[in-house]
């Protein structure tokens, strides 16, 4: 059995909140978009990653996901987001912080409480 990609669904009461987080802040692009229909949705993608965003208040009220994005330049990512979208930095993890499990992390939180943890693991030494 082989899989090539995991594409999670993220539900928003207002899909524009997700677009501001993923397209404007994290610089994903649209792989598909149907924003004018009665049930707006889109696929956002970047460098082999993809998420399906849906506008659906009922499902958005049931779950506010937390996801992790790995990077090899956490300080560069943080500097850019702090400069362009500081209001999205999570108040409890607004700067790269060494966590007990060994990763450097900082968080983002949009106005609907979807959280993205940006994470960098130390390089493994052989």
């Amino acid at each position: 059995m082989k899989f090539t990609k995991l594409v999670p669904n993220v539900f928003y009461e207002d899909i524009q909140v997700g677009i501001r987080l993923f397209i404007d802040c994290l610089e994903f692009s649209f792989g598909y978009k149907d924003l004018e229909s009665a049930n707006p949705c889109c696929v956002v993608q970047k460098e082999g990653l993809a998420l399906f965003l849906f506008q659906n208040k009922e499902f958005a009220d049931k779950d506010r996901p937390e996801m992790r994005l790995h990077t090899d330049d956490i300080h560069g990512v943080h500097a850019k987001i702090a400069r362009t979208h500081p209001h999205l930095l999570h108040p409890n993890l607004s700067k790269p912080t060494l966590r007990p499990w060994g990763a450097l992390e900082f968080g983002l939180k949009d106005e609907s409480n979807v959280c993205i943890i940006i994470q960098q693991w130390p390089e493994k030494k052989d």
Side-chain angles (χ1 to χ4, degrees):
M1 194 176 331
K2 179 181 177 187
F3 301 102
T4 60
K5 189 181 290 188
L6 176 67
V7 183
N9 295 336
V10 182
F11 296 94
Y12 283 92
E13 180 175 346
D14 176 2
I15 199 167
Q16 293 302 318
V17 173
I19 290 169
R20 286 191 294 271
L21 175 62
F22 289 100
I23 299 289
D24 298 343
C25 178
L26 294 173
E27 300 178 345
F28 280 59
S29 60
F30 288 108
Y32 168 80
K33 67 179 172 180
D34 179 12
L35 302 177
E36 304 303 322
S37 73
N39 299 300
C41 64
C42 62
V43 173
V44 296
Q45 58 191 24
K46 181 177 183 161
E47 301 165 354
L49 306 173
L51 295 105
F52 217 128
L53 307 183
F54 293 91
Q55 183 167 296
N56 183 302
K57 179 177 177 12
E58 177 187 354
F59 290 130
D61 286 345
K62 292 178 181 181
D63 183 42
R64 298 297 20 154
E66 179 178 298
M67 295 168 269
R68 293 177 186 273
L69 291 175
H70 290 192
T71 181
D72 60 3
D73 182 18
I74 196 164
H75 296 291
V77 172
H78 180 266
K80 184 167 189 171
I81 292 172
R83 187 176 64 254
T84 62
H85 294 83
H87 60 284
L88 291 175
L89 292 170
H90 196 294
N92 296 333
L93 195 58
S94 63
K95 297 177 184 167
T97 303
L98 183 60
R99 308 299 280 175
W101 41 91
L104 277 174
E105 299 181 347
F106 75 93
L108 303 174
K109 183 174 97 164
D110 71 18
E111 60 203 74
S112 73
N113 291 322
V114 169
C115 291
I116 306 291
I117 304 300
I118 309 295
Q119 184 178 66
Q120 182 175 350
W121 288 94
E123 290 185 30
K124 291 185 178 186
K125 297 177 184 173
D126 294 329

